[in-house]
Amino acid sequence: PLSPAAVVGAGLGGSATAYFLQQHFGPQVQLDVYEAASVGGRLATVTVNKQQYESRGASIHALSLHMQDFVKILGLKHRREVAGKSAIFSGEHFVLEETDWYLLNLFRLWWHYGISFLRLQMWVEEVMEKFMRIYKYQAHGYAFSSLEELLRSLGGEAFVNMTQRSVAESLLEVGVTQRFVDDVIAAVLRSSYGQSVLVPAFAGAMSLAGAQGSTWAVEGGNKLVCSGLLKLTKANVISARVTGISLHSSEGRALYQVHYESTEGQGSAFYDMVVVTTPLHPSRSNFTFDNFDPPIADLPGAFHPSVTSVVHGYLNSSYFGFPDPKLFPFTSILTTDTPDLFFHAMDNICPVNISAAFRRKQPQEAAVWRVLSQQPLDKQQLKTLFRSYYSVQVAEWQSYPRYDSTKALPPIVLHENLFYLSGVEWVASSMEMVAVAAKNVALLAYNRWHQELEKIDQKDLMHKVKTEL
């Protein structure tokens, strides 16, 4: 039997991994989860005027089946939706505005962009439909030892290629116009990844699916999923920063020593299995791997800095061409890829607990806005966006892979019973992608431990799963 196992990181990846490991290996497995900061990782909240707001990782796609499951199992609730309109700003004017009337929106898109947006929708739907096969595979206990194998089983070589070429290239190929790519696709990718239409097609498709579909969030904050899963798993959460892992072998099986630093000083513990769910890139971690032969190589690729500023203040609507603030109709502003634009997106955000009586502030009132940018905003830039403000809270993250920095996908298996989860973000970075990867790692670990090799990297799974049913 597997005795102690360690999970490094208690963000969504770490908490979902702990939960799935326990589901597969059984309740007797001892789980230690190491977290240097706070449980929830990037799913953090900030407090403004005694109310909490999401600072990142805000919305979850309707088709996120694992996230839906977590919310059900944990007895959490979907946050009430508060309607609002969005628009795309070019730095000078709005290139696209949403109205209250759905048909008029479609007509506008049609009028501006012709058949492009239908082609976009068909392209995204086809990717999502194939991606949804993963849930069937996982329900049958199938796992994949590399990201390439996982992608191949869902959509063949075409899916693997979608991590190697840009979303712009893929969309132009299916007949979407350059203008639509520059105006609409660029704005969506800037608001989700803070990057351009050069992000890989697969990551782009996931982010565009989120922009089109209905999305939801967890009442009380998305980070409740992480703390909830760890409680449910009865995992032992150790407040410490892992500094390295060394390999010892015993009776033909690998044994890992995890070294860590906490407020009490340095310590270490031994495990049969370790899953690392924090990024292992040199820029992000000073993690050492000792006694491995061959040594574990540094992973290529860099992370993209992004800054979230949560501002409580009065929007300067005249910057957006609305001299009378009462008439400003938008709660969410996306931006095109214009050199002078110093922010990627901004939205008027609602608290994580929304009462039945809650209403959005009128545009002329002070509201809480979340502004995404690449650099921290200076005084002048804040003055451009806000007539005046009460408070600004800034969080700087190395949150997303810089998608142009490498073409190779990171490995899942670093060594026997030593796994790496965060590499999945190089395929696409979303809460559900991380949850899918966590389930895959747990199944992979289980199938390898019990030598059920026919459940790993199986070819022609669509056919197999059909006949198994």
Side-chain angles (χ1 to χ4, degrees), residues 34-54:
Y34 290 88
E35 176 51 64
S38 51
V39 167
R42 284 173 284 177
L43 303 183
T45 51
V46 296
T47 307
V48 182
N49 268 0
K50 305 199 178 84
Q51 291 266 36
Q52 287 197 324
Y53 296 85
E54 299 274 1

Side-chain angles (χ1 to χ4, degrees), residues 109-182:
L109 272 170
W110 189 254
W111 188 251
H112 278 304
Y113 303 107
I115 205 162
S116 277
F117 101 100
L118 257 186
R119 288 188 167 140
L120 165 72
Q121 245 164 334
M122 285 163 68
W123 181 78
V124 170
E125 260 164 39
E126 189 189 349
V127 173
M128 288 309 288
E129 202 180 317
K130 288 180 177 159
F131 175 73
M132 299 298 284
R133 294 172 175 172
I134 191 67
Y135 300 111
K136 248 199 192 112
Y137 298 167
Q138 292 187 334
H140 286 264
Y142 288 105
F144 304 95
S145 65
S146 71
L147 293 166
E148 288 85 351
E149 282 292 331
L150 187 148
L151 288 167
R152 220 169 262 132
S153 78
L154 297 173
E157 282 311 314
F159 262 28
V160 179
N161 291 341
M162 285 178 74
T163 64
Q164 312 292 326
R165 49 189 311 217
S166 75
V167 65
E169 198 185 327
S170 295
L171 285 173
L172 291 170
E173 205 167 88
V174 296
V176 171
T177 63
Q178 187 68 52
R179 184 175 161 208
F180 188 71
V181 168
D182 292 342

Side-chain angles (χ1 to χ4, degrees), residues 202-379:
F202 197 86
M206 288 296 181
S207 134
L208 290 158
Q212 306 191 298
S214 49
T215 58
W216 55 280
V218 178
E219 173 69 22
N222 295 328
K223 66 179 181 183
L224 294 181
V225 169
C226 304
S227 47
L229 289 173
L230 291 171
K231 265 197 200 80
L232 184 66
T233 309
K234 298 190 174 62
N236 174 27
V237 179
I238 299 169
S239 185
R241 189 176 71 82
V242 172
T243 54
I245 297 174
S246 46
L247 172 65
H248 300 258
S249 78
S250 72
E251 299 112 58
R253 194 166 244 170
L255 183 66
Y256 297 105
Q257 187 176 12
V258 171
H259 304 269
Y260 58 88
E261 253 168 30
S262 67
T263 46
E264 274 87 73
Q266 298 183 333
S268 76
F270 285 94
Y271 300 96
D272 284 338
M273 179 178 288
V274 182
V275 182
V276 180
T277 72
T278 56
L280 281 182
H281 295 72
S283 64
R284 287 292 303 275
S285 71
N286 21 16
F287 215 85
T288 56
F289 289 102
D290 295 315
N291 303 339
F292 286 87
D293 183 29
I296 292 178
D298 272 344
L299 300 179
F303 275 74
H304 186 78
S306 65
V307 179
T308 305
S309 310
V310 175
V311 183
H312 180 210
Y314 296 89
L315 185 74
N316 176 18
S317 59
S318 46
Y319 169 63
F320 296 104
F322 286 80
D324 181 353
K326 283 196 193 63
L327 299 177
F328 189 80
F330 308 115
T331 53
S332 158
I333 303 160
L334 298 102
T335 58
T336 57
D337 211 340
T338 315
D340 318 334
L341 269 177
F342 54 87
F343 69 103
H344 291 146
M346 59 189 293
D347 34 6
N348 173 342
I349 52 177
C350 299
V352 296
N353 295 95
I354 297 184
S355 63
F358 178 86
R359 62 165 188 83
R360 274 196 194 276
K361 296 272 191 273
Q362 294 299 313
Q364 70 276 20
E365 301 178 285
V368 177
W369 288 83
R370 179 175 50 206
V371 186
L372 306 178
S373 56
Q374 193 162 342
Q375 309 294 336
L377 303 174
D378 61 33
K379 281 269 187 314

Side-chain angles (χ1 to χ4, degrees), residues 19 50 102 194 198 313 333 414 427 445:
Y19 168 75
K50 305 199 178 84
Y102 177 69
L198 298 178
I333 303 160
L414 297 175
V427 174

